């Protein structure tokens, strides 16, 4: 399969995936594509394990790739394991908070949560962080403490694919 490799962005809700992605989309126009309706809306309270993002089909991902765009997959750890069984060969990135306390603070400040959904998200985050330790599961774990530092780590690992997408949009 030609075209830039897809990228998987995983990690607990509130870790900063949307924030980082928004920065990428702002800096790089037409480089990234989405296979599912990746909305920028805030997750709704209670939308914790009732996953909003189904794992996209292989064909849907490859269609983005065929347009020479980097397909972004924002999926949970189970989704990561499913993708691993395909031949999509994405770059696997986990975005993680510096600590659960910081995660809780950020989720509270985001003002998208009820007490109940907050509690669920924190429990899910614990599980996610634990499962993420599996060796080899991710190519890169980004600890999103300082946003600019996290962003530059993300850009660095994507640089080669970004270049591919930019090259192809020139021709
Ligand atoms: P996710 O998409 O992973 O659920 P968000 O991008 O919505 O997470 O981030 C959760 C909250 O944390 C948002 O309110 C965001 O503005 C804030 N945030 C993200 N990264 C940082 C950071 N490095 N420092 C402080 N706040 C952050």
């Amino acid at each position: 399969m030609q075209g830039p490799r897809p990228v998987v962005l995983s990690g607990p809700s509130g870790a900063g995936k949307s924030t980082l992605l928004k920065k990428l989309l702002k800096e790089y126009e037409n480089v990234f594509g989405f296979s599912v309706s990746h909305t920028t809306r805030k997750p709704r309270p209670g939308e914790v394990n009732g996953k909003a993002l189904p794992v996209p089909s292989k064909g849907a991902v490859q269609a983005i790739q065929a347009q020479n765009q980097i397909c972004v997959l924002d999926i949970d750890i189970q989704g990561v394991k499913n993708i691993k069984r395909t031949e999509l060969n994405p770059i696997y990135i986990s975005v993680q908070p510096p600590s659960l306390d910081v995660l809780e603070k950020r989720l509270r400040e985001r003002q998208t949560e009820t007490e109940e959904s907050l509690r669920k998200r924190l429990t899910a985050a614990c599980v996610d962080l634990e499962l993420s330790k599996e060796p080899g599961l991710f190519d890169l774990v980004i600890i999103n403490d300082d946003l600019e530092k996290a962003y530059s780590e993300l850009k660095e690992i994507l640089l080669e694919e970004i270049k591919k997408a930019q090259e192809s949009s020139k021709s």
Side-chain angles (χ1 to χ4, degrees), residues 10-22 38 42-43 74 95 98 102-103 105-113 121 143-150:
S10 197
S13 181
K17 299 179 296 295
S18 321
T19 305
L20 287 165
L21 196 50
K22 224 191 285 173
H38 187 283
K42 299 278 186 201
D74 178 343
V95 180
V102 171
L103 182 67
K105 183 167 169 284
R106 287 184 189 165
L107 284 170
R108 286 190 186 279
E109 283 170 359
R110 193 170 70 177
Q111 298 190 330
T112 51
E113 309 304 314
R121 284 203 194 279
I143 307 295
N144 179 18
D145 188 355
D146 176 83
L147 183 63
E148 290 310 320
K149 186 167 167 285

Side-chain angles (χ1 to χ4, degrees), residues 117-137:
S117 69
L118 184 80
R119 195 171 43 75
K120 282 189 189 160
R121 284 203 194 279
L122 290 173
T123 307
C126 265
V127 175
D128 184 287
L129 294 177
E130 206 44 49
L131 293 176
S132 297
K133 290 180 187 159
E134 183 181 321
L137 192 56

Side-chain angles (χ1 to χ4, degrees), residues 40-56:
T40 47
R41 76 167 169 77
K42 299 278 186 201
R44 299 193 178 107
E47 199 177 81
V48 177
N49 290 324
K51 292 313 290 180
L53 287 164
V55 176

Side-chain angles (χ1 to χ4, degrees), residues 18-38:
S18 321
T19 305
L20 287 165
L21 196 50
K22 224 191 285 173
K23 281 174 83 70
L24 274 179
L25 296 181
K26 200 170 163 202
E27 181 165 352
Y28 302 101
E29 269 176 53
N30 298 321
V31 163
F32 295 92
F34 303 93
S35 62
V36 281
S37 50
H38 187 283

